[in-house]
Amino acid sequence: MQVSPSMVVMYSSIAPQVLDVKLFLGVYIIMEVEKIILVALGMMVSMVAFFLKKESLKVDRLSKRIQNMEIDLAKNSARDSERWTQTTKLLEDRRTDVIKIFEKLNK
């Protein structure tokens, strides 16, 4: 916000003890140094909070993906164990069939 010199003079006549008028890049700054520091600290805190929130959302998305992968892995391991039990049953059945065939051949 750019302040005209006439406004600065008018404001400085009202409250001269509070006012610290400085010209910075063609703009009159009507703030005390402490206020500038507080504004800068507030901006830094808000920026840190923004990035922390952004990273928190990223971590939440990644944890949901990991949870879904773990569920899929558990489902796959259950399917695999079921397939192995069926395979061992089939192998035992074939083994008994082979034994029966050899017994018939030996007689």
Side-chain angles (χ1 to χ4, degrees):
M1 177 174 134
Q2 193 168 7
V3 179
S4 68
S6 61
M7 289 178 65
V8 171
V9 170
M10 191 167 50
Y11 187 75
S12 65
S13 65
I14 295 171
Q17 70 274 7
V18 179
L19 193 59
D20 185 17
V21 179
K22 295 180 181 174
L23 180 65
F24 180 72
L25 297 176
V27 177
Y28 288 95
I29 298 175
I30 306 172
M31 277 191 178
E32 294 179 6
V33 175
E34 294 87 15
K35 289 183 183 179
I36 293 173
I37 291 173
L38 286 176
V39 168
L41 284 174
M43 288 179 63
M44 287 190 295
V45 167
S46 66
M47 287 175 56
V48 167
F50 170 76
F51 286 111
L52 283 176
K53 184 177 180 181
K54 188 177 176 182
E55 289 299 316
S56 172
L57 292 174
K58 192 183 295 185
V59 167
D60 288 342
R61 278 187 273 130
L62 288 175
S63 66
K64 285 180 184 177
R65 285 183 63 192
I66 288 173
Q67 184 180 11
N68 289 337
M69 287 180 184
E70 287 174 346
I71 290 171
D72 289 342
L73 183 64
K75 287 179 184 177
N76 286 339
S77 66
R79 286 183 197 143
D80 287 346
S81 65
E82 184 178 335
R83 287 177 187 155
W84 276 113
T85 55
Q86 289 177 354
T87 303
T88 54
K89 282 183 184 179
L90 288 174
L91 284 174
E92 288 296 323
D93 290 343
R94 287 187 180 171
R95 185 174 296 146
T96 56
D97 290 343
V98 167
I99 290 172
K100 287 179 184 177
I101 290 173
F102 275 115
E103 286 177 355
K104 286 182 181 181
L105 284 175
N106 288 335
K107 287 185 178 182

